[in-house]
Amino acid sequence: MEWTTERRYRRYEDWTQEERKEIQEKMAQSPWHVSYHIEPKEGLLNDPNGFSYFDGKWIVFYQNFPFGAAHGLKSWVQLESDDLVHFTETGVKILPDTPLDSHGAYSGSAMQFGDQLFLFYTGNVRDENWVRHPYQISALMDKDGKIEKLIKS
């Protein structure tokens, strides 16, 4: 399989459940599958971000391209831990779903702000000539894990 630009930046909603299941099965059978480390359920783990302590838990996010071991349209996945040894994935928290992050959610961080976790990251946008235009995006996560991006249209 060739990782073309079109394949790397295919919208998340265009991947079928069957394609995702096949990716997960291939990963589970990989001889490089780790047993003691943070590892994505599917695809690429890149650039841990937003390491913080919030609501009595350690939180870390990582960039993820869930459709293969290649750099493409990245989202942020969240993990939580009580002991910094065992982590539980709580799901995709930031999707590239606005005009300011249409080509990926890139590096950022997090810090507690009142009773919410303040997230900030670089939204990646490419123009018709494939020139990158970065935007700084912020979001708030409540104690239930709900994200609200702070973007004005």
Side-chain angles (χ1 to χ4, degrees):
M1 167 185 45
E2 183 181 349
W3 283 103
T4 63
T5 299
E6 291 77 20
R7 185 172 178 86
R8 290 173 190 254
Y9 288 88
R10 184 175 163 193
R11 305 303 307 165
Y12 278 47
E13 60 270 14
D14 293 340
W15 291 85
T16 67
Q17 288 299 338
E18 292 80 25
E19 288 172 310
R20 292 188 82 150
K21 185 176 180 186
E22 182 181 332
I23 292 165
Q24 291 171 3
E25 289 170 355
K26 284 182 181 177
M27 285 186 67
Q29 296 169 4
S30 170
W32 297 283
H33 184 75
V34 296
S35 60
Y36 188 76
H37 197 279
I38 295 171
E39 181 178 64
K41 289 182 181 177
E42 55 188 343
L44 176 79
L45 180 151
N46 186 63
D47 199 7
N49 289 288
F51 182 66
S52 53
Y53 189 76
F54 175 66
D55 195 29
K57 296 171 272 210
W58 293 101
I59 306 289
V60 67
F61 299 87
Y62 63 85
Q63 292 175 11
N64 179 237
F65 176 64
F67 309 111
H71 290 277
L73 188 60
K74 292 184 183 88
S75 59
W76 273 25
V77 174
Q78 179 190 354
L79 300 164
E80 296 179 347
S81 175
D82 293 324
D83 60 10
L84 294 176
V85 175
H86 304 93
F87 285 85
T88 302
E89 183 178 306
T90 61
V92 176
K93 295 297 179 175
I94 296 180
L95 282 167
D97 59 359
T98 74
L100 297 180
D101 59 9
S102 62
H103 289 83
Y106 281 38
S107 295
S109 195
M111 63 181 279
Q112 186 166 341
F113 185 75
D115 63 348
Q116 296 180 307
L117 191 63
F118 178 70
L119 308 172
F120 50 98
Y121 65 97
T122 302
N124 184 30
V125 176
R126 299 268 186 176
D127 65 21
E128 62 279 353
N129 297 313
W130 210 242
V131 174
R132 183 183 317 217
H133 301 276
Y135 296 92
Q136 291 303 301
I137 299 175
S138 58
L140 290 171
M141 184 175 84
D142 66 20
K143 291 182 178 184
D144 294 325
K146 183 177 177 253
I147 298 281
E148 176 188 357
K149 291 184 183 179
L150 305 174
I151 296 176
K152 293 184 180 187
S153 31

